[in-house]
Amino acid sequence: MPASNSRMTAIVCHGPEDYRVEEVGRPVAGQNELVVKIGACGICASDCKCWSGAAMFWGGKNPYVKPPVIPGHEFFGYVEELGPGAAEHFGVKAGDMVIAEQIVPCDRCRYCRSGSYWMCEVHNIFGFQREVADGGMSEYMKFPSTARVHKIPAEMPLADAAVIEPLSCAIHTVQRGDIQLADVVVIAGAGPLGLLMTQVARLKTPKKLVVVDLMEDRLELARGFGADVTINPKTQDVDEVVRSLTDGYGCDVYIETTGHPSGVTQGLQIIRKLGRFVEFSVFGKETSADWSIIGDRKELDIRGAHLGPYCYPIAIDLLTRGLVTSKGIVTHQYDLTDWDEALKLANSTDSIKVLLTPGYRR
């Protein structure tokens, strides 16, 4: 067991635009807890929005982020220390490659007790509140006793293991769309999540899979991942193209993953009557739309998608079988000490997915 005063390098969030590389105390495993050595941790779009001070994270009387906290929820690692009872509790041993789901359920509220643990009323998530545990932008992190832990095959490549969390979210989102064989499906946004959703949606074999994005290189990746049609709104009329594919009716399923208000209004325009609109994105500000479209004009089925419940084993299996890949999506790796450079790149259009890999040397 490591000494309680041993130290490690971590990124510490102190407030908007105030994230620092620091030496902090290394966690120690208690009853039914694990300490893992981090293999990699992705920088998510929500991390970038949190850093920039987006109101949804910092606003109101009870802000979602409670600093100081080590951020990071797209992590995996290797079991370094097992607290008393942890081996039996989680079914793991020292050295195992593992991942914990991003939510740390309370296991007491009505949602946890009914099996809907990802909607836990307390809703602690790794990397945003320190009450339960810090996140993965560090050399080591602790998994509390209520964490949902999954083993990863030892032979899985680092980049694939690092996208298990976003892939799980992508799977849940696609499942919420209830895609049928005759459906025309539109995925708005070809960032990391949109590209993973494209691969998952292709496995559902819809009639047509359409991806919309402003960047040609990402649309090219989407085509390689199975998109039948790609649309760049800078040069094409999205509504016109989608209606040409659907006898003028509009798409059956619209998945919004741009995180931009225009992605919402675009979807309400191009989706057919009685269609299924799935909202995944985290927005940096409030979004306005003509709400009457949902009821009076189209009677739409609006579905949210949050986290990746019950999807981690599926994500691990799809990656293991090569049905989904991180190739082309994971574009850069940085050491923790290169945080400023890594964040700048992650917050730009010059990357898709940036990983923080402790000890990584370029």
Side-chain angles (χ1 to χ4, degrees):
M1 178 180 293
S4 60
N5 64 347
S6 59
R7 310 291 284 175
M8 67 176 184
T9 301
I11 310 302
V12 181
C13 164
H14 291 274
E17 299 188 25
D18 186 7
Y19 286 45
R20 311 171 199 169
V21 179
E22 297 182 359
E23 291 296 309
V24 301
R26 178 173 158 182
V28 175
Q31 182 74 34
N32 290 343
E33 294 181 338
L34 300 176
V35 169
V36 301
K37 181 178 176 63
I38 294 297
C41 183
I43 300 177
C44 177
S46 64
D47 292 316
C48 294
K49 289 175 181 177
C50 183
W51 173 87
S52 67
M56 72 155 294
F57 295 103
W58 300 100
K61 294 181 179 179
N62 186 28
Y64 190 68
V65 184
K66 298 173 183 177
V69 63
I70 298 171
H73 57 274
E74 295 184 357
F75 52 78
F76 80 92
Y78 306 88
V79 176
E80 180 80 5
E81 177 196 348
L82 297 109
E88 297 76 19
H89 182 68
F90 289 117
V92 300
K93 64 182 184 303
D96 279 350
M97 195 169 170
V98 295
I99 187 170
E101 298 189 26
Q102 64 273 64
I103 192 161
V104 185
C106 73
D107 281 351
R108 296 186 301 273
C109 71
R110 64 181 293 183
Y111 302 108
C112 289
R113 289 182 177 275
S114 67
S116 300
Y117 66 91
W118 71 101
M119 296 306 298
C120 173
E121 185 68 13
V122 180
H123 218 75
N124 284 314
I125 291 184
F126 285 112
F128 293 103
Q129 310 94 15
R130 179 167 276 182
E131 286 94 333
V132 174
D134 284 306
M137 293 186 186
S138 58
E139 293 183 281
Y140 298 89
M141 70 178 293
K142 182 170 68 176
F143 291 176
S145 62
T146 61
R148 299 307 198 254
V149 176
H150 306 275
K151 291 174 66 173
I152 304 171
E155 65 275 11
M156 182 174 288
L158 179 145
D160 280 358
V163 301
I164 292 171
E165 186 275 339
L167 176 56
S168 299
C169 293
I171 292 167
H172 180 55
T173 302
V174 170
Q175 289 178 333
R176 292 286 285 159
D178 192 24
I179 295 171
Q180 303 298 309
L181 295 174
D183 284 344
V184 173
V185 178
V186 173
I187 296 175
L193 266 299
L195 291 169
L196 291 169
M197 289 175 193
T198 300
Q199 296 181 66
V200 176
R202 172 45 56 200
L203 297 176
K204 295 284 189 177
T205 63
K207 180 179 179 180
K208 289 287 183 185
L209 178 57
V210 183
V211 176
V212 182
D213 199 88
L214 295 169
M215 300 183 65
E216 286 297 334
D217 57 339
R218 297 188 180 193
L219 293 176
E220 183 179 354
L221 272 173
R223 290 190 291 271
F225 290 148
D228 299 299
V229 178
T230 57
I231 307 173
N232 188 331
K234 291 191 293 187
T235 57
Q236 298 166 279
D237 186 314
V238 178
D239 184 69
E240 182 179 301
V241 175
V242 171
R243 293 191 186 280
S244 73
L245 299 171
T246 59
D247 295 324
Y249 287 102
C251 62
D252 303 281
V253 179
Y254 182 86
I255 297 176
E256 202 293 308
T257 184
T258 68
H260 192 278
S262 63
V264 176
T265 51
Q266 170 184 265
L268 293 175
Q269 178 182 353
I270 69 173
I271 196 169
R272 68 166 171 84
K273 295 176 181 179
L274 303 176
R276 298 180 296 285
F277 187 121
V278 185
E279 181 55 67
F280 172 80
S281 291
V282 173
F283 291 85
K285 58 182 178 181
E286 291 185 0
T287 297
S288 298
D290 181 356
W291 201 244
S292 61
I293 294 173
I294 296 168
D296 184 61
R297 289 167 57 187
K298 293 189 176 182
E299 196 173 320
L300 298 177
D301 193 349
I302 304 293
R303 303 180 180 185
H306 180 56
L307 307 185
Y310 301 107
C311 293
Y312 280 67
I314 301 171
I316 292 167
D317 177 64
L318 292 180
L319 288 164
T320 300
R321 290 194 285 154
L323 295 174
V324 176
T325 181
S326 63
K327 291 179 180 176
I329 296 175
V330 173
T331 54
H332 297 81
Q333 293 185 51
Y334 287 90
D335 182 55
L336 293 169
T337 56
D338 296 319
W339 160 254
D340 290 334
E341 186 178 351
L343 175 68
K344 182 178 179 181
L345 187 62
N347 216 4
S348 74
T349 57
D350 295 327
S351 68
I352 298 180
K353 173 59 67 180
V354 177
L355 303 182
L356 291 171
T357 308
Y360 182 77
R361 294 292 178 264
R362 287 179 288 158

